Amino acid sequence: HPNPGRIAQIFEVTLPRLPHVTMWPLLLGLIPWIIGKYLLCPLRWRALTAAPLTRWWHIRAYAEAELLGLLTPAYVGGDLWRIRRLTRSGLSTPDALGSVGLDRFVGAVGLTIFVVFAGATLPLDMLAVALGVGVLAMCGAVLLRRVRPDLMPQHVLPPQKQLAQALFLSALYQLTIAALLLGAVSATGHPLSPLALLGAFGASQLAGAVPGPHGASPRDAAFVVALVALGVPFVDAAGAVTLKATLAWGPALMLGGASLLVTRRAVRRTFAGTPGLTA
C-alpha cells in the first residue's frame, strides 16, 4: 500500500519544478499554426504537383500524411503516404517522388530565408554537413538522370508563377510556426522575440538529419538547447518544446484521422461495387 506521506513528499519535490503554463498564449499560437499546417502547406504542395487534383484532395491527403508522419521518425511515413496517394491518383512514381521532394525543398528554402533574416548564427560544422548533404543529393540526381533517365520525373520544375506562389506560401507558413513557438514559450512565462525564436528553431533543424520520434528527436533536443541559450530556463524550455510537440497531435488526430476514415470507407464502397473484388 502506498504511503500518503511519501506521496506528498514526491509531489512537493516535483510539482514546484514543473513550468507554470498559461493556456491563452498557447491557443492564440495554435490557431494560426493549424491554418498554416493544414491549409497553406497543402496549397503549397498543390502548386508544385503536376497533376490535375483539386485543392480539397491535397488538403485531405496532407492531413492524412501529417498523422502518419507523426508516428514515424523524420516524417518518413507522411512522405510515403503522399507518394502513394499521388500514384494511386494516376501520377507516375518518378513524378510523385519529385512532387514530394520539391515540396520538402521549398519548405526548407522558406525556413532558411527566415533563419537568415533572423540573423541566427549557425555552427560551421553543421553548415558543412548540410552543404555536403545537398551537394551529394545534386550529384546523385545528375548520375541517376544519366544512368536511369526513366526513373527521373518528367516535370522537374513547375512554372515560375507556381514556384513563386509555393515560396510565398512557405514564407507564410513560417510565420504561423513563429506564432506557435511564441505561444508555447510565452505560455511558460518567458516571451521572446519572434525572430529570435525562428532563429533558434531554424538552427535546431540541422539536427533533424538524425531521425527520432516526434517530440523526443535530436531536433527537439537542439531546440531546447537553443532556447536555453536565449535565456529560457532549462525546465521551461523543455516544457515549451513538449507543449509544441504535444499540440501537434490534436489536429492530426482530428483532421487526418477523420480523412483516413472517409478514405477507407470510400475504398470499401468501391470494392463492394466492383464484381469479383472484396475489401
Side-chain angles (χ1 to χ4, degrees):
H1 297 285
N3 186 346
R6 179 59 177 169
I7 295 177
Q9 293 177 0
I10 293 176
F11 274 98
E12 288 176 0
V13 171
T14 57
L15 285 182
R17 296 185 180 181
L18 296 177
H20 174 72
V21 175
T22 305
M23 294 303 299
W24 287 112
L26 206 56
L27 294 177
L28 291 176
L30 179 62
I31 293 173
W33 177 80
I34 292 176
I35 296 174
K37 172 63 74 174
Y38 293 96
L39 180 61
L40 298 182
C41 287
L43 294 180
R44 180 190 68 193
W45 179 34
R46 182 174 183 265
L48 301 171
T49 303
L53 300 170
T54 64
R55 294 184 181 89
W56 181 240
W57 185 95
H58 282 85
I59 290 173
R60 284 189 52 191
Y62 198 95
E64 297 165 2
E66 183 66 16
L67 176 58
L68 298 176
L70 291 177
L71 296 171
T72 53
Y75 281 71
V76 173
D79 291 340
L80 293 177
W81 180 256
R82 286 199 286 167
I83 293 171
R84 179 177 182 271
R85 291 279 266 139
L86 287 172
T87 54
R88 291 177 69 91
S89 298
L91 200 65
S92 66
T93 300
D95 283 335
L97 287 169
S99 168
V100 175
L102 186 58
D103 180 62
R104 280 270 199 165
F105 175 77
V106 170
V109 169
L111 177 61
T112 302
I113 292 174
F114 268 84
V115 171
V116 173
F117 183 68
T121 302
L122 304 181
L124 293 179
D125 55 346
M126 288 188 176
L127 283 175
V129 171
L131 182 61
V133 171
V135 171
L136 287 177
M138 293 180 62
C139 293
V142 172
L143 180 62
L144 184 62
R145 177 175 287 276
R146 291 185 177 182
V147 177
R148 293 291 305 273
D150 56 304
L151 296 180
M152 296 297 295
Q154 298 178 0
H155 305 86
V156 180
L157 288 176
Q160 292 183 359
K161 182 179 179 180
Q162 292 179 232
L163 185 59
Q165 178 185 359
L167 288 171
F168 176 70
L169 292 172
S170 182
L172 288 181
Y173 173 59
Q174 299 305 320
L175 288 177
T176 67
I177 291 181
L180 178 62
L181 297 177
L182 188 62
V185 177
S186 298
T188 62
H190 298 279
L192 295 174
S193 166
L195 291 181
L197 278 174
L198 271 179
F201 181 73
S204 68
Q205 297 307 293
L206 293 177
V210 182
H214 177 71
S217 64
R219 177 186 302 172
D220 297 309
F223 188 37
V224 172
V225 174
L227 289 178
V228 172
L230 291 175
V232 180
F234 174 78
V235 174
D236 292 342
V241 174
T242 302
L243 284 173
K244 179 184 72 69
T246 304
L247 287 174
W249 283 99
L253 290 171
M254 292 176 60
L255 302 175
S259 184
L260 281 172
L261 290 176
V262 172
T263 301
R264 184 176 181 182
R265 290 179 180 177
V267 171
R268 284 186 173 182
R269 285 196 298 267
T270 301
F271 277 114
T274 304
L277 293 178
T278 58

